[in-house]
Amino acid sequence: MKTSLILLNLLLATPVVAEEIWVTNEKDDTISVIDVATLEVTRTIPTGERPRGITFSHDFSRVYICASDSDAVQVMDPNTGEILNDLPSGEDPEQFVLHPDDRHLYIANEDDAVTTVVDVETRQVVAQINVGIEPEGMAVSPDGSTVIATSETTNMAHWINTETNEIFANTLVESRPRHAEFTHDGAALWVSSEIGGTISVFDTQTQAELADITFEVQGVHPDRVQPVGFEFTEDGKTVFVALGPSNHVAVVNAETYEVEDYILVGRRVWHMAFSADKSLLFTTNGVSGDVTVIDVARREAVKSIKVGRFPWGAALRP
Amino acid sequence: MRLIAWTCTLFYVFVASAQAEVAVKIGYLRQMVERPPVLSNLDPVPDDLGIAGAQVGLADNQTTGGFLGHDYTFEIVDVPVGDDVLAAARDVLSGTRLMIVDAPATDLLRIADLPEAQGAILFNVAAAETVLRDADCRANVLHTLPSDAMRADALMQFLVKKRWTRLAMISGAHEEDTALADTFRASAEKYGLNIAAEKAWNFDADMRRNAAQEVPAFTQDLGDHDVLLVADARDDYGRYIPYNTWLARPVAGTEGIVPAAWSPVVEQWGAAQLQSRFADHAHRAMRPRDYAAWAAMRTLGEAVTRTGAAAPDILRNYILSDAFELAGFKGRAMSFRAWNGQLRQPIPLSTPRALVAQAPLEGFLHQRNELDSLGLDQPESQCAAYGG
């Protein structure tokens, strides 16, 4: 018994080298770690209450977790699963984005209509910016000059200047914006609207709307086609969009804005992460409590992996 | 040169203030009513019922308005029992053309028919009578509270889905109980369900003490059924029915599995956020009338945000257009039926502890919008005020 415990400790302490996808389980207060090579859950790590947003530091030595109901962003050592410290995150942190400087987290405080800026080194709040009701989607431009917060009930994308931490523009989007991403070159901003059922594309320079992408899944009522999380492929030419309770992921041509494919996945698909070589895409399916693995080249679901209850966020640890 | 510069400044100031000057004033007129006595003292009616929902919606609007230069103000007018509700309505309407009305159906119609109310937008948040969306509809009244027919249809869809097709019903003796029983009967027929046995509840005993003796005997001769409907509009005796029936059967209607615009147990679709915003504000759970008032306020907010206008005709056109959609924390975009002014919305079916289902249920289709499988549909509506 004692030997096995020691052995277990040793195993836990040994840095894991395998490529992994980390998934937060909102209703289990855990993270499921999936081995990309075997497509199996290799361990389950306890977190604070209601973990949602998850992201790694640039050197992958730390993982940041929005523990929403603990009102904290937790900093974890990914090798040991040990919580190193909590960051002062403001109330109910849901989602965040790490600035390219690897030092500032921009956090959406869902219950508080605030975006909190935290310095992860000094663990101090640098600024709090009033945004619309229920902020959720967070994005940062590749040059770090602009951060976006989208607010679900106010239906806006708020454009924040990271020099001054002040809002310099507000753009209306459709109902319940959920997620935002800049294109790799920073020229455009994409925002998904869950109830509106669309993705809006904006010109970064002028904030003018460039396109409004709609989705249509055969056999699914339009009301249930609700775009949430999305990711660009490495070449920036294709976007994979989670369509919530329609249980499909859309494949969008980022140049023509046309939807090229729909892939059936688990129930209430929410967020996603690519493997390091971008050949596989892992989607979190909240209602079915699993992760669908998509073969990116073939645009097909190849496996479902059971994780915890209500998987929400996903992040790659190469 | 100086003159030109001065003119430019003036012009600039004018433009800047013009942008910030969308002022939206919203009235809330509440006719206080005498509440008939009920058996239990357990659930007092909150003093701020409805109003608290409007206030939470107002705060949502003000936050959004802050980014757009839209300014929202709110005025609450209470009309004590016996006072002149029409005078109070005229008074509110002299200050704004946007008014939430929290009053019984008869008062609502008298207010809507005032000359001062023509061209205004009134929101009905308290009267569920289907006839207000039918022959008695008014062009200046929008309904954010679902009709009785919508709620009854939601329940019947659930019973069909469960294949609980044999129904029995108990209804009270009051006028509103009879009306609700009629609504249940019509809805059951619409969905091909059979109410095989009915009984009128007219006990005057205090059921708190003897429900266990009386209810089994009372329900013994209902014959076999799958589910027992209770139509107790006043929330009087219904709570003593479950677990006291002769047969072990689920209870639904105003007791047991209840269809309603909102319930404290709705937590999916981001609803937990609305529930917690409401609880922080009101220190109690959100009720259907609160939800209807919140939705009325948010409807105005959404229309002002999208149109940049506060004029009632512009807002009304937008609200009734295909472009309008309201995110109501019930999983689907909500919109208004352009032929009778009713807000289309999903109807949660819940017990006090959990959501059981939410209508429209899967499989109940509609050629235009699945939400229109609930309540009066356009072909059967007698509403003429909407030009349809």
Side-chain angles (χ1 to χ4, degrees):
Chain A
M1 180 65 194
K2 195 178 267 180
T3 351
S4 62
L5 267 181
I6 291 166
L7 197 64
L8 190 69
N9 281 334
L10 270 178
L11 277 175
L12 281 175
T14 314
V16 185
V17 285
E19 180 186 344
E20 294 168 340
I21 298 289
W22 286 45
V23 173
T24 51
N25 299 310
E26 184 181 346
K27 295 280 180 196
D28 261 357
D29 300 349
T30 57
I31 287 170
S32 298
V33 179
I34 296 167
D35 185 315
V36 172
T38 62
L39 301 184
E40 274 168 12
V41 174
T42 53
R43 59 197 189 281
T44 303
I45 305 169
T47 65
E49 290 175 42
R50 202 177 178 200
R52 292 194 277 180
I54 178 168
T55 196
F56 284 87
S57 62
H58 291 179
D59 65 359
F60 297 93
S61 67
R62 283 159 295 163
V63 57
Y64 303 106
I65 303 146
C66 286
S68 301
D69 286 357
S70 301
D71 293 335
V73 166
Q74 296 185 307
V75 186
M76 183 186 280
D77 178 344
N79 289 326
T80 62
E82 191 189 331
I83 301 294
L84 301 172
N85 56 270
D86 283 357
L87 295 173
S89 64
E91 240 183 275
D92 193 20
E94 176 166 12
Q95 176 68 296
F96 50 21
V97 66
L98 183 61
H99 193 272
D101 67 11
D102 200 23
R103 184 161 173 179
H104 292 96
L105 275 176
Y106 284 74
I107 304 166
N109 298 117
E110 188 174 31
D111 257 3
D112 238 13
V114 161
T115 291
T116 301
V117 189
V118 174
D119 183 328
V120 300
E121 283 175 25
T122 64
R123 300 183 206 164
Q124 299 290 318
V125 171
V126 177
Q128 286 206 309
I129 304 151
N130 288 323
V131 293
I133 305 277
E134 293 172 40
E136 171 159 343
M138 299 295 302
V140 61
S141 61
D143 65 3
S145 67
T146 305
V147 159
I148 301 293
T150 66
S151 45
E152 285 173 66
T153 290
T154 298
N155 300 327
M156 275 183 190
H158 307 283
W159 302 64
I160 298 166
N161 179 335
T162 54
E163 289 283 316
T164 60
N165 284 325
E166 281 174 11
I167 293 174
F168 67 89
N170 298 290
T171 38
L172 277 171
V173 295
E174 292 209 43
S175 274
R176 279 189 92 71
R178 281 284 192 174
H179 189 74
E181 293 275 346
F182 282 92
T183 51
H184 295 326
D185 62 4
L189 173 75
W190 289 44
V191 179
S192 63
S193 294
E194 181 190 15
I195 293 291
T198 61
I199 283 187
S200 307
V201 183
F202 295 97
D203 181 288
T204 307
Q205 285 301 317
T206 63
Q207 288 92 48
E209 190 168 332
L210 300 174
D212 206 23
I213 303 165
T214 56
F215 302 90
E216 210 171 307
V217 183
Q218 190 153 21
V220 180
H221 191 276
D223 280 0
R224 300 185 70 78
V225 180
Q226 302 179 347
V228 189
F230 59 89
E231 291 291 331
F232 287 86
T233 52
E234 198 165 29
D235 61 9
K237 288 182 176 164
T238 310
V239 183
F240 286 81
V241 184
L243 296 177
S246 76
N247 311 332
H248 282 76
V249 167
V251 187
V252 179
N253 183 319
E255 284 158 355
T256 63
Y257 306 125
E258 267 167 45
V259 185
E260 296 177 339
D261 249 314
Y262 293 98
I263 305 163
L264 181 64
V265 295
R267 295 180 60 199
R268 195 181 189 253
V269 56
W270 215 240
H271 282 293
M272 60 186 76
F274 282 106
S275 60
D277 65 1
K278 311 285 180 186
S279 67
L280 297 176
L281 181 65
F282 296 78
T283 71
T284 58
N285 312 316
V287 170
S288 47
D290 53 22
V291 162
T292 301
V293 186
I294 292 171
D295 180 320
V296 172
R298 284 164 47 210
R299 298 182 178 179
E300 270 175 26
V302 291
K303 193 177 178 191
S304 294
I305 304 166
K306 188 73 194 153
V307 290
R309 292 195 301 174
F310 242 81
W312 196 96
L316 167 72
R317 184 188 182 212
Chain B
M1 181 63 197
R2 184 180 283 178
L3 187 66
I4 291 170
W6 193 70
T7 325
C8 286
T9 313
L10 252 189
F11 180 70
Y12 176 77
V13 169
F14 175 75
V15 168
S17 62
Q19 274 179 343
E21 264 180 24
V22 179
V24 188
K25 187 177 175 189
I26 299 154
Y28 192 109
L29 181 72
R30 177 165 67 163
Q31 168 68 67
M32 313 296 273
V33 290
E34 294 218 38
R35 294 185 195 285
V38 295
L39 289 172
S40 169
N41 305 316
L42 290 175
D43 294 310
V45 177
D47 290 338
D48 60 352
L49 182 64
I51 288 169
Q55 286 166 333
V56 171
L58 176 73
D60 290 356
N61 289 352
Q62 283 168 334
T63 303
T64 306
F67 294 108
L68 296 169
H70 299 166
D71 183 38
Y72 294 86
T73 50
F74 186 49
E75 183 195 13
I76 302 163
V77 173
D78 272 338
V79 184
V81 176
D83 272 23
D84 186 354
V85 70
L86 293 184
R90 277 193 205 99
D91 206 36
V92 175
L93 288 165
S94 70
T96 176
R97 313 299 292 155
L98 309 170
M99 182 166 77
I100 297 170
V101 182
D102 179 344
T106 46
D107 291 330
L108 173 70
L109 287 179
R110 288 162 65 215
I111 294 165
D113 290 340
L114 285 172
E116 291 86 347
Q118 304 318 303
I121 303 178
L122 312 182
F123 284 93
N124 166 30
V125 299
E129 286 87 344
T130 309
V131 72
L132 295 172
R133 290 84 169 158
D134 198 11
D136 277 347
C137 75
R138 296 291 186 273
N140 54 356
V141 180
L142 299 171
H143 310 269
T144 49
L145 190 73
S147 66
D148 285 333
M150 288 166 72
R151 290 187 293 128
D153 285 356
L155 177 58
M156 298 308 158
Q157 286 190 0
F158 173 72
L159 299 182
V160 168
K161 188 92 182 170
K162 298 293 290 182
R163 302 190 185 183
W164 293 346
T165 54
R166 293 174 306 163
L167 314 180
M169 180 160 69
I170 306 177
S171 56
H174 304 292
E175 200 182 318
E176 57 266 46
D177 294 331
T178 320
L180 188 57
D182 287 344
T183 306
F184 282 154
R185 251 178 246 116
S187 180
E189 194 182 354
K190 175 175 169 182
Y191 283 97
L193 300 169
N194 178 27
I195 303 182
E198 289 190 37
K199 283 189 87 170
W201 181 272
N202 45 21
F203 285 84
D204 49 13
D206 186 346
M207 276 299 143
R208 288 176 294 182
R209 292 169 205 277
N210 53 11
Q213 287 86 46
E214 299 289 353
V215 177
F218 179 74
T219 54
Q220 189 174 6
D221 57 356
L222 283 170
D224 199 6
H225 50 273
D226 298 319
V227 63
L228 177 62
L229 298 181
V230 175
D232 172 23
R234 292 186 176 183
D235 193 18
D236 184 15
Y237 63 88
R239 69 173 75 219
Y240 303 108
I241 304 296
Y243 308 107
N244 281 322
T245 50
W246 180 256
L247 295 173
R249 294 292 179 270
V251 170
T254 55
E255 200 61 49
I257 300 162
V258 178
W262 192 251
S263 155
V265 301
V266 178
E267 56 175 347
Q268 289 181 58
W269 312 290
Q273 270 90 252
L274 178 60
Q275 304 277 25
S276 74
R277 276 209 301 285
F278 185 88
D280 285 348
H281 173 78
H283 308 290
R284 62 176 177 85
M286 193 173 194
R287 297 190 178 199
R289 193 175 303 182
D290 298 311
Y291 181 81
W294 173 86
M297 193 58 95
R298 286 289 303 123
T299 294
L300 287 172
E302 189 62 23
V304 171
T305 299
R306 301 291 173 181
T307 61
D313 54 332
I314 298 176
L315 297 180
R316 184 178 184 277
N317 283 342
Y318 181 76
I319 288 167
L320 293 174
S321 76
D322 288 343
F324 178 86
E325 59 181 17
L326 185 65
F329 300 94
K330 295 201 274 191
R332 286 173 185 242
M334 311 199 302
S335 56
F336 283 85
R337 291 174 182 156
W339 68 88
N340 70 354
Q342 170 68 52
L343 181 67
R344 296 184 174 96
Q345 55 190 300
I347 304 287
L349 293 144
S350 59
T351 65
R353 295 263 298 160
L355 186 73
V356 179
Q358 181 166 280
L361 277 98
E362 216 178 320
F364 292 93
L365 304 175
H366 189 277
Q367 65 275 23
R368 186 175 33 239
N369 184 325
E370 282 172 24
L371 292 174
D372 284 349
S373 66
L374 303 172
L376 267 187
D377 199 5
Q378 188 168 13
E380 58 201 1
S381 165
Q382 304 290 312
C383 175
Y386 280 76

